[in-house]
Amino acid sequence: MLPTGIHFESYAAETRVLKTLRSRIWASALALGLLCAPLFAGAYLLGVASEMFITLMAVYGLYVTVGMAGQINIAQSAFVGIGAFAAAKLSSYGQPVFVVIPLAALAAGCVSILFALPAVRVKGLYLALTTLAAQAMFPIVIYALPASWLGGLAGMPVEPLTLFGADLGTPTGFYYFTLALVALLTISAFRLQHSRFGRAMMAVRDNDIAAEVMGIPVMRVKLMAFFVGSLFAGVAGACLAYFLQFVTAASFTLFASVWYLGMLIVGGLHSRLGPILGVVFITVLQEGLHKVANTLMQAGSGSGGMLFALTSIILGGCILLALIFEPRGLAHRWAVLRNAFQIWPFPRN
C-alpha cells in the first residue's frame, strides 16, 4: 500500500525499490548511519556487523533459490565453504581481491549446478535430500583431496586482505569492505524480483506446470536459480575466508545451513526484506544472549554457562514461534505496521 496520490507512468517507475520521497529519505539516513558507524562503534561491534553482512550475503542466495524459485536448499553452508576455499587458494597465488571474489563466486555457482541437475526432476523432501547430499559430500571431498590442494584436515591460511596496497584487515577497513559488497548484493537481490528471470522463477515456484505451458523453460530456470543463489554464497564464502584468515571444512556444517534457512524463514521467505530482518533479528538476539551470559559468568553465577548452552535452543524456539504465529515472517509484520502508519488516523475499513 502506498500513500494517496502516488502513481506511476511507466513499469520502470513502478518497480523502483524506493518509490516515495519518504522512503528515499529513510534509506539515505540508514546509509549515512552505516557509513558513520565506525566513528562510534568499537572493534567488537564492527566485527559483529561485518560477520552479519557476510551472513546476509549467504541468506540472499537462499532468498533467490528458496524464496523466489521455490527450490529447497539446505546446503548453502557447503557452497559458502566452496567460495571460502577458492578464495584461500587464489589468495595463496597472490591474486588481488577483485579477482578472487568473482572467481570464488563462480566456483560455488559451477559446483551447485552438479547438484542442481538431479534437483530439477524432484520436489519437496526429495529435493531437500539432494541438497543434503551436497552438504554431506563437501567435507568428505575436502578431506579426501591431497593436503597440498586444499589443506586437508588442517585447513588453509588466507592472505591478508589488501586493495590497491591499502590494508583492509583492520576492523574498520573490513567493515567498509563488507558494507560495500552487501550494498551491491542488496541492490542486485532487490532488482532481481522484477527482472524477466525473477518473474520466471516466481512462476516456477507457484506452479511449474503452468509455467511450462506458458513457455517458460522450467529446467533451465531451476538450474539458474541454484547457480545465482550460489553466486551469493561464493561471495559470502570469500569474505568469510578473509574475515577468519583461516578456512577448514569443519567451519561449514549442516548446522550453519539450517541457521541460514532459519534466518530466512524468520525474516520472511518470499519478501525482499526477509533476509535483512531475519539476519538482523537472529544476530542481535544471539549477541544479546551471549552478552548476558558473559555478564553472569563474570559475576560468578553458574547460570551464565547454562545460558550459553541454551542459546541455540532459544534461537531454534524463535524459528518455531515464527512458523506457528507468523509464517510469513517479520517482513509481513513490518508491512502491516507500515500500512497502519500510512493510513493513520483514518480507519482501516
Side-chain angles (χ1 to χ4, degrees), residues 8-9 24 58 100 137 173 178 200 248 259-260 271 339:
F8 307 103
E9 298 179 354
R24 298 188 192 102
V100 169
M137 290 178 62
T178 52
T248 62
W259 277 125
Y260 289 148
S271 171
N339 292 339

Side-chain angles (χ1 to χ4, degrees), residues 144-261:
L145 291 174
S148 59
W149 291 14
L150 297 177
L153 288 170
M156 293 185 65
V158 183
E159 295 298 321
L161 178 61
T162 58
L163 182 62
F164 301 116
D167 181 19
L168 298 181
T170 62
T172 300
F174 196 79
Y175 170 85
Y176 282 123
F177 175 73
T178 52
L179 177 62
L181 280 179
V182 81
L184 179 62
L185 295 186
T186 298
I187 295 173
S188 302
F190 274 51
R191 296 297 301 171
L192 185 62
Q193 181 174 338
H194 295 290
S195 67
R196 183 173 182 176
F197 174 57
R199 295 195 298 270
M201 284 194 295
M202 289 186 287
V204 171
R205 177 196 67 196
D206 295 337
N207 193 320
D208 55 352
I209 296 177
E212 191 168 12
V213 171
M214 293 170 61
I216 296 176
V218 174
M219 182 179 295
R220 186 169 66 187
V221 169
K222 289 182 178 181
L223 289 174
M224 288 301 297
F226 271 95
F227 179 78
V228 174
S230 296
L231 291 180
F232 285 84
V235 175
C239 293
L240 188 60
Y242 283 117
F243 180 73
L244 298 176
Q245 290 290 288
F246 198 87
V247 293
T248 62
S251 301
F252 309 98
T253 62
L254 176 61
F255 187 75
S257 292
V258 172
W259 277 125
Y260 289 148
L261 189 57

Side-chain angles (χ1 to χ4, degrees), residues 31-334:
L32 182 61
L34 291 173
L35 289 173
C36 296
L39 301 177
F40 310 99
Y44 171 75
L45 289 179
L46 292 179
V48 172
S50 299
E51 191 172 3
M52 184 173 64
F53 293 154
I54 295 171
T55 304
L56 181 56
M57 299 176 197
V59 178
Y60 271 139
L62 276 182
Y63 166 67
V64 173
T65 306
V66 182
M68 295 184 64
Q71 306 300 300
I72 301 176
N73 179 11
I74 53 176
Q76 190 73 346
S77 179
F79 299 134
V80 172
I82 292 170
F85 274 95
K89 192 67 176 178
L90 290 169
S91 69
S92 67
Y93 292 144
Q95 297 297 323
V97 63
F98 53 83
V99 173
V100 169
I101 290 183
L103 290 181
L106 187 60
C110 291
V111 172
S112 71
I113 293 293
L114 299 177
F115 296 94
L117 288 173
V120 299
R121 296 293 184 183
V122 294
K123 300 178 182 178
L125 176 63
Y126 300 102
L127 177 57
L129 291 175
T130 301
T131 57
L132 180 62
Q135 181 66 58
M137 290 178 62
F138 170 72
I140 296 174
V141 172
I142 296 296
Y143 296 149
L145 291 174
S148 59
W149 291 14
L150 297 177
L153 288 170
M156 293 185 65
V158 183
E159 295 298 321
L161 178 61
T162 58
L163 182 62
F164 301 116
D167 181 19
L168 298 181
T170 62
T172 300
F174 196 79
Y175 170 85
Y176 282 123
F177 175 73
T178 52
L179 177 62
L181 280 179
V182 81
L184 179 62
L185 295 186
T186 298
I187 295 173
S188 302
F190 274 51
R191 296 297 301 171
L192 185 62
Q193 181 174 338
H194 295 290
S195 67
R196 183 173 182 176
F197 174 57
R199 295 195 298 270
M201 284 194 295
M202 289 186 287
V204 171
R205 177 196 67 196
D206 295 337
N207 193 320
D208 55 352
I209 296 177
E212 191 168 12
V213 171
M214 293 170 61
I216 296 176
V218 174
M219 182 179 295
R220 186 169 66 187
V221 169
K222 289 182 178 181
L223 289 174
M224 288 301 297
F226 271 95
F227 179 78
V228 174
S230 296
L231 291 180
F232 285 84
V235 175
C239 293
L240 188 60
Y242 283 117
F243 180 73
L244 298 176
Q245 290 290 288
F246 198 87
V247 293
T248 62
S251 301
F252 309 98
T253 62
L254 176 61
F255 187 75
S257 292
V258 172
W259 277 125
Y260 289 148
L261 189 57
M263 290 176 181
L264 182 61
I265 292 173
V266 170
L269 197 61
H270 304 303
S271 171
R272 295 179 297 184
L273 284 176
I276 299 175
L277 296 177
V279 170
V280 171
F281 176 79
I282 295 295
T283 302
V284 170
L285 180 60
Q286 184 180 30
E287 292 300 324
L289 291 173
H290 287 170
K291 184 68 175 179
V292 173
N294 281 325
T295 303
L296 292 175
M297 292 179 67
Q298 291 174 1
S301 175
S303 58
M306 183 180 297
L307 184 58
F308 261 119
L310 293 177
T311 298
S312 297
I313 297 176
I314 295 173
L315 296 177
C318 291
I319 297 175
L320 290 177
L321 291 175
L323 288 172
I324 295 172
F325 295 105
E326 189 52 270
R328 286 177 287 186
L330 294 174
H332 175 254
R333 189 51 45 193
W334 166 254

